Amino acid sequence: MSLKSERRGIHVDQSELLCKKGCGYYGNPAWQGFCSKCWREEYHKARQKQIQEDWELAERLQREEEEAYASSQSTQGAQSLTFSKFEEKKTNEKTRKVTTVKKFFTASSRTGAKKVAQEKVVKQGQLGRERNADNILRDLKEIFTPSWELASPTEAEIQEAKAPSPSINRQASIETDRVSKEFIEFLKTYHKPGQDIYKQCKLFLDTMNHKRDLSIEEQSECAQDFYQNVAEKLQTRWKVPPEKVEKAMDQIEKYIMTRQYKYVFCPETTDDEKKDLTVQKRIRALHWVTPQMLCVPVNEEIPEVSDMVVKAITDIIEMDSKRVPRDKLACITKCSKHIFNAIKITKNEPASADDFLPTLIYIVLKGNPPRLQSNIQYITRFCNPSRLMTGEDGYYFTNLCCAVAFIEKLDAQSLNLSQEDFDRFMTGQTSPKKQESDSWSPDVCLGVKQMYKNLDLLSQLNERQDRIVSEAKKLEKDLIDWTDGVAKEVQDIVEKYPLEIKPKNQALAAIDSENVENDKLPPPLQPQVYAG
């Protein structure tokens, strides 16, 4: 979805919130712009194509094996030892291929699954010497057919489904017990359909318990198939009125997802946690973004508006504490309604969609909800698809997805800033100019005033530090220049007055060195001491 940033604020065309296939339902970035219905159709088409290609590959490999076997038989003869080893190798290879082909199929690929199962049974009947045909058929049914779609489950299967599995047979939480009791009480009002609904839910939970090794997308597909299957049965087989169908589906989702939450929310096999940390780090880096930059039409100086903003932030944060997708959606809806009320009080007129999205972005930036991406992915995967396709829940959820996408791609142009200012704000070198303390309203919280005062003080200290660093660098340059200047002056003097070293003078001769009669002279007088 292309978001546009204009001087008057952030704008998204409402048509871009709808499914890009043109069905009229709300789309979702997680579904590549499709609604859940169209996305499932596109997903099934791609999946069936892949399944067909894989099946053709398996058949080709099998034909090549048969041809190689026939060729070896015609050239080498039927030696018992060689044949025995070849049969053993062939059995192992075939078992490996059957296991590989099984992995390509899941319970979600119902279209064409029974036909594939039948073809597989026929081929195994022709080639199999290891397994019984009844065992093959039973195994294929378990692989390709969801347990809730079996026409008439046997009494043993029902008893097995009622028995708690090892992973579920743990100490149930208080909330799980409460939800289970509420679900049973709710189904009592449906009489016979209620018993069938409960049985289908128990079978589904047992099936999901045995499919922990599936990817989260495949588990999501199983859940969506189950929702669709039960809704169709409520409307067609049990003739339940539409308004009661919606209530029943809400209770079914609550019962199912309360038990499945710890297994399917932010599983280790996905990168949801990594995305959470990335978004959280991004929001922290954007802490300096002001309402004016986003053109948010909300005046937090008005006490009523400030209370609405606080409630909206509380609701979006509270979303992470809920276990049921519908309850998480309810938190998003309450948050959005508080935003609309805040805009209405500020502008004294109803809020528009162009006012809502920037304010929602501001609330997300200010609240920094925990595990935001994990919650969005959880709702997308396991919520009743009808809630995301239509209604106010679907609209608000789609806008939240747009807000997160905008935050991830937010740049200088989006905030009407120069790239230089944007980079300085992101690196923390400076912060946008805050409101002067003298102009604060007397109703503003003292803590908020002190916070902005401290931010101003930090900004001033940062500017002083920058000046000190600049002066220190200048002083360092001056010292280097002075040292270079002194060295140059000394060099000039040395060149102008070069040092000349004269040779050493000869030793002076004695005064009487030329007197040839030195030898005839008397010796020099010696001092004598007389005793007196």
Side-chain angles (χ1 to χ4, degrees):
M1 298 182 180
S2 60
L3 293 172
K4 303 174 183 178
S5 175
E6 303 176 0
R7 178 58 60 180
R8 64 184 179 85
I10 301 165
H11 171 73
V12 58
D13 191 346
Q14 294 303 296
S15 62
E16 297 182 14
L17 299 178
L18 302 178
C19 175
K20 67 180 184 181
K21 201 171 181 179
C23 64
Y25 295 122
Y26 290 119
N28 192 312
W31 295 324
Q32 300 179 8
F34 293 103
C35 66
S36 63
K37 180 176 178 293
C38 295
W39 167 249
R40 284 163 60 81
E41 292 176 356
E42 295 295 323
Y43 178 80
H44 278 301
K45 288 180 183 178
R47 190 174 185 81
Q48 290 302 322
K49 182 180 178 181
Q50 183 65 39
I51 289 173
Q52 183 64 27
E53 292 176 355
D54 294 336
W55 185 255
E56 292 175 357
L57 176 61
E59 288 183 333
R60 181 171 61 82
L61 293 175
Q62 191 165 350
R63 285 196 302 268
E64 292 177 356
E65 180 185 298
E66 292 175 354
E67 292 173 359
Y69 173 72
S71 176
S72 64
Q73 286 291 83
S74 61
T75 57
Q76 298 179 7
Q79 298 180 4
S80 59
L81 182 59
T82 305
F83 181 79
S84 176
K85 290 183 178 181
F86 182 82
E87 279 295 305
E88 182 180 356
K89 180 180 179 181
K90 179 182 176 183
T91 300
N92 295 336
E93 186 69 11
K94 182 168 54 181
T95 303
R96 182 183 63 81
K97 290 179 180 177
V98 170
T99 304
T100 303
V101 172
K102 285 179 182 179
K103 292 180 181 178
F104 291 130
F105 301 91
T106 62
S108 61
S109 57
R110 299 196 309 272
T111 305
K114 293 185 179 180
K115 180 179 178 182
V116 171
Q118 292 172 359
E119 292 178 358
K120 186 65 179 177
V121 170
V122 172
K123 290 185 179 295
Q124 290 288 353
Q126 294 174 350
L127 302 175
R129 296 181 178 87
E130 311 82 10
R131 300 183 60 185
N132 184 286
D134 294 335
N135 293 335
I136 295 175
L137 181 60
R138 184 178 66 251
D139 292 342
L140 289 173
K141 275 189 175 182
E142 291 176 357
I143 294 171
F144 297 125
T145 306
S147 59
W148 60 85
E149 287 189 348
L150 295 176
S152 56
T154 62
E155 191 67 27
E157 291 173 335
I158 295 176
Q159 292 298 330
E160 182 181 357
K162 290 182 179 180
S165 61
S167 61
I168 296 181
N169 191 22
R170 299 176 181 178
Q171 184 64 33
S173 64
I174 298 177
E175 182 178 2
T176 302
D177 292 340
R178 178 180 58 80
V179 170
S180 299
K181 292 178 182 179
E182 291 177 355
F183 185 60
I184 294 174
E185 291 297 324
F186 172 79
L187 292 180
K188 288 181 180 179
T189 60
Y190 284 71
H191 306 294
K192 183 62 171 64
Q195 298 177 7
D196 293 336
I197 292 172
Y198 184 74
K199 189 181 299 183
Q200 296 293 320
C201 291
K202 295 293 288 183
L203 287 171
F204 173 75
L205 287 173
D206 186 69
T207 302
M208 292 296 291
N209 179 55
H210 289 87
K211 292 189 176 184
R212 297 282 179 237
D213 55 337
L214 294 181
S215 67
I216 193 63
E217 287 76 16
E218 292 172 324
Q219 294 185 54
S220 170
E221 195 70 16
C222 291
Q224 299 297 330
D225 286 341
F226 176 72
Y227 290 148
Q228 183 178 357
N229 197 281
V230 173
E232 290 176 356
K233 288 182 178 180
L234 284 171
Q235 294 174 352
T236 58
R237 181 185 299 181
W238 298 316
K239 307 298 180 183
V240 178
E243 61 276 5
K244 297 190 70 176
V245 170
E246 184 177 354
K247 293 181 179 180
M249 293 307 301
D250 289 343
Q251 291 296 325
I252 290 172
E253 178 190 311
K254 185 176 182 179
Y255 175 72
I256 293 295
M257 297 317 302
T258 300
R259 292 175 173 272
Q260 291 294 308
Y261 176 80
K262 60 183 177 181
Y263 303 113
V264 298
F265 180 83
C266 192
E268 296 180 354
T269 55
T270 65
D271 59 349
D272 291 351
E273 184 176 2
K274 182 179 178 181
K275 292 180 179 178
D276 288 335
L277 296 175
T278 301
V279 172
Q280 193 173 56
K281 183 177 179 181
R282 175 70 172 174
I283 293 176
R284 285 176 179 172
L286 294 169
H287 66 90
W288 47 268
V289 176
T290 63
Q292 292 74 24
M293 294 178 180
L294 295 170
C295 298
V296 175
V298 168
N299 184 5
E300 295 186 67
E301 294 183 4
I302 303 176
E304 294 85 352
V305 174
S306 180
D307 291 341
M308 292 294 175
V309 170
V310 172
K311 290 179 180 178
I313 294 174
T314 302
D315 290 333
I316 198 69
I317 292 176
E318 187 182 3
M319 173 180 63
D320 185 60
S321 65
K322 304 299 182 182
R323 305 178 69 179
V324 183
R326 182 173 62 90
D327 294 342
K328 292 181 180 292
L329 276 179
C331 291
I332 298 174
T333 301
K334 289 193 296 182
C335 168
S336 301
K337 289 183 175 180
H338 288 314
I339 290 174
F340 273 105
N341 289 334
I343 298 173
K344 183 178 180 181
I345 295 173
T346 301
K347 299 180 65 176
N348 291 323
E349 61 181 19
S352 64
D354 289 338
D355 295 332
F356 170 67
L357 183 58
T359 311
L360 178 61
I361 294 172
Y362 174 68
I363 293 297
V364 173
L365 289 175
K366 197 169 183 179
N368 197 359
R371 300 192 291 185
L372 182 57
Q373 280 287 6
S374 290
N375 282 287
I376 290 177
Q377 292 295 330
Y378 177 68
I379 294 172
T380 301
R381 292 165 182 159
F382 296 101
C383 184
N384 187 350
S386 62
R387 283 191 169 274
L388 301 183
M389 293 165 58
T390 58
E392 61 179 7
D393 288 344
Y395 174 77
Y396 295 140
F397 179 71
T398 303
N399 274 274
L400 177 61
C401 294
C402 291
V404 175
F406 177 85
I407 291 172
E408 292 175 339
K409 299 177 181 179
L410 188 143
D411 55 13
Q413 185 179 3
S414 304
L415 299 175
N416 302 311
L417 296 174
S418 64
Q419 188 63 44
E420 181 182 359
D421 289 342
F422 182 81
D423 293 338
R424 293 177 64 194
F425 293 155
M426 289 295 291
T427 56
Q429 295 180 3
T430 185
S431 59
K433 187 177 180 180
K434 305 299 180 183
Q435 187 176 6
E436 297 296 334
S437 58
D438 296 339
S439 61
W440 284 104
S441 170
D443 298 328
V444 176
C445 176
L446 294 177
V448 174
K449 290 183 180 180
Q450 187 63 41
M451 179 185 67
Y452 280 110
K453 188 180 295 184
N454 293 340
L455 288 174
D456 290 336
L457 180 59
L458 289 174
S459 179
Q460 295 173 13
L461 292 175
N462 191 28
E463 292 176 358
R464 289 179 58 187
Q465 183 182 7
D466 291 340
R467 289 197 302 269
I468 292 173
V469 171
S470 177
E471 294 294 333
K473 290 181 178 180
K474 183 180 178 183
L475 177 60
E476 181 182 12
K477 184 176 180 300
D478 291 342
L479 289 173
I480 294 173
D481 293 342
W482 177 80
T483 304
D484 294 341
V486 171
K488 188 175 182 304
E489 290 180 3
V490 171
Q491 184 65 26
D492 292 342
I493 293 174
V494 169
E495 292 177 355
K496 186 175 181 180
Y497 305 102
L499 178 62
E500 295 181 2
I501 300 177
K502 296 180 179 182
K504 185 177 181 181
N505 294 331
Q506 295 181 355
L508 297 176
I511 298 176
D512 54 355
S513 60
E514 297 179 356
N515 191 347
V516 294
E517 296 180 354
N518 283 343
D519 296 338
K520 297 179 180 182
L521 292 176
L525 296 178
Q526 299 291 331
Q528 297 181 5
V529 178
Y530 294 94

